[in-house]
Amino acid sequence: MAADISTEARRRLVWIEWYESHDRNARKTCRHFTISPDTFYRWLRRYKPHDLASLEDKSRRPRRLRQPTWSAGLEQAVLRLREQYPRWGKDKLAVLLAREGQRVSTSMVGRILTRAKQRGILREPPSNGISARKRARQRPYAVRKPKEYQAREPGDLVELDTLDVRPLPGVALKHFTARDVVSRYDVLEVHTQAKATTAAHFLDTLQSDMPFPIKAIQVDGGSEFQSLFELECQERGIRLFELPPRSPELNGSVERAQRTHTEEFYEIYDGDFEIQPLNKALKEWQFVYNHIRPHQALDYLTPVEFLAKQIPHGRPAVVSSRPTTGIPGTTLYERREVYGIT
């Protein structure tokens, strides 16, 4: 008969049998099974030797359930309107009912709809495959950054972002910033468009200018960081992390860098906004930013000084001297010697 009861009921039966075989000592039984006296006495009172089901848990369902306070006519009116307008919620349906002369609260309409769904009498329209919600596009290589991934060394994580620069009415340039989150070393470049091809081109600049290997890049879901850019990252063995939608704060380091470059470069720049001269001036500012400007986050070291402490025997910081920048490489190499970068 004991086999017909649940595991919990059998456990309670063991308590009581032990209690009966040990001089009916309740305190000793409680200590032996590590249970409270209140628990033991409650099940002892319920116990019926000829009905082991008395040791089963009783239903916790309330004895008195709240009954609907609305009429059957009101329920039918709500269901009729909901089936007529299946995408309208309780607020709009309450207004329609009031127009028909039935004054009812919004919350009651909500309760009617909830109860109808529970009973399976609310007929929803079948899906036709059309949805206003955007489906997440499956990326072939990019993934969300794992929670356990931590940037501890330069190059472990480089945040990449674009910025619209509008110097003149009708003129919009696309500024690219890459920020190493550990060293605060930045690489900058400006283009006329933010496309996957220009982002891939900037990837060349990034690897050329960064004074350390890049292990991972984090970007938002912009189209410029898909397609060719994603393929280039994969071919170069650079991990690519994509931010969740509407989460720019997760790229906070480069977002702050964008503000700095806007305030300290673009707001005071009075030169030509053609791409070639602008990139030349931007490269000069990149040198100042990485080699001369003290950074509060680095205890007022420059990124290059910080790197010299982190990797004293690492490869030198290389500033791009590609033809598009218009900056002779010798000038920057001479400056580098002045600031102790060999």
Side-chain angles (χ1 to χ4, degrees):
M1 188 173 180
D4 297 333
I5 60 177
S6 67
T7 302
E8 285 296 311
R10 283 198 295 271
R11 186 164 61 91
R12 293 158 188 157
L13 180 60
V14 171
W15 299 347
I16 296 174
E17 289 177 345
W18 198 92
Y19 164 77
E20 295 288 352
S21 62
H22 288 77
D23 301 326
R24 302 175 62 86
N25 189 323
R27 294 290 176 174
K28 189 175 180 180
T29 303
C30 292
R31 288 194 299 269
H32 181 77
F33 291 102
T34 318
I35 56 176
S36 69
D38 288 341
T39 299
F40 177 73
Y41 282 120
R42 181 171 66 252
W43 290 109
L44 184 61
R45 287 193 299 269
R46 292 187 187 180
Y47 174 61
K48 297 177 181 179
H50 302 293
D51 183 14
L52 297 184
S54 60
L55 296 178
E56 297 283 4
D57 287 311
K58 293 182 178 180
S59 173
R60 290 183 171 85
R61 188 170 185 263
R63 293 180 181 177
R64 295 183 180 179
L65 296 177
R66 181 177 181 179
Q67 299 300 315
T69 57
W70 55 82
S71 65
L74 177 59
E75 182 177 29
Q76 290 301 318
V78 171
L79 294 179
R80 171 177 52 80
L81 290 173
R82 176 56 179 261
E83 290 174 5
Q84 185 177 358
Y85 306 106
R87 286 296 177 262
W88 292 6
K90 59 184 179 181
D91 300 275
K92 291 182 175 62
L93 296 183
V95 174
L96 296 184
L97 289 168
R99 291 177 183 173
E100 295 180 356
Q102 300 193 68
R103 296 285 177 178
V104 59
S105 67
T106 301
S107 60
M108 179 172 285
V109 175
R111 290 197 298 273
I112 293 174
L113 292 174
T114 300
R115 190 166 184 269
K117 288 179 182 179
Q118 293 172 346
R119 294 163 57 198
I121 62 174
L122 180 61
R123 294 189 295 271
E124 297 285 8
S127 175
N128 60 4
I130 301 175
S131 175
R133 299 178 182 178
K134 293 183 179 180
R135 297 178 181 178
R137 181 177 177 270
Q138 188 68 29
R139 298 287 293 264
Y141 181 63
V143 296
R144 295 278 188 267
K145 183 168 74 69
K147 291 183 179 180
E148 65 274 10
Y149 188 91
Q150 299 293 328
R152 294 185 172 86
E153 298 179 357
D156 281 353
L157 184 64
V158 173
E159 295 180 356
L160 184 55
D161 193 29
T162 59
L163 172 72
D164 280 358
V165 178
R166 301 179 182 274
L168 299 169
V171 178
L173 303 176
K174 301 296 182 178
H175 169 96
F176 285 76
T177 294
R179 156 67 65 89
D180 176 61
V181 300
V182 174
S183 67
R184 268 66 174 182
Y185 198 99
D186 281 13
V187 175
L188 316 172
E189 197 168 72
V190 66
H191 293 269
T192 55
Q193 294 178 309
K195 300 189 300 183
T197 52
T198 53
H201 176 82
F202 180 64
L203 193 57
D204 292 333
T205 304
L206 178 57
Q207 288 193 298
S208 173
D209 287 12
M210 282 287 184
F212 38 75
I214 300 171
K215 301 174 186 175
I217 293 176
Q218 182 166 268
V219 297
D220 59 25
S223 60
E224 65 271 25
F225 299 127
Q226 300 178 17
S227 184
L228 181 60
F229 177 82
E230 190 167 2
L231 179 62
E232 286 290 328
C233 288
Q234 185 175 12
E235 291 182 349
R236 302 178 194 209
I238 301 174
R239 299 181 69 177
L240 184 59
F241 300 138
E242 182 188 29
L243 296 176
R246 298 176 294 279
S247 303
E249 68 279 1
L250 299 181
N251 245 10
S253 187
V254 71
E255 292 286 348
R256 183 61 182 87
Q258 298 285 48
R259 174 181 168 183
T260 298
H261 300 315
T262 300
E263 294 176 345
E264 300 184 22
F265 175 74
Y266 284 109
E267 288 184 3
I268 60 176
Y269 176 68
D270 58 356
D272 194 339
F273 277 95
E274 292 295 325
I275 291 298
Q276 185 169 346
L278 179 56
N279 264 324
K280 177 180 178 180
L282 199 58
K283 285 299 180 184
E284 292 175 350
W285 163 245
Q286 176 181 307
F287 178 85
V288 172
Y289 186 84
N290 290 322
H291 291 72
I292 302 175
R293 182 186 186 274
H295 288 244
Q296 186 176 4
L298 301 177
D299 198 18
Y300 293 99
L301 296 175
T302 67
V304 169
E305 290 170 338
F306 176 82
L307 288 171
K309 288 188 173 184
Q310 297 293 311
I311 45 175
H313 303 296
R315 69 182 180 94
V318 178
V319 182
S320 175
S321 57
R322 299 187 327 149
T324 54
T325 65
I327 302 177
T330 54
T331 303
L332 293 179
Y333 275 94
E334 289 170 1
R335 291 183 184 176
R336 218 179 345 229
E337 292 174 1
V338 171
Y339 290 95
I341 304 299
T342 59

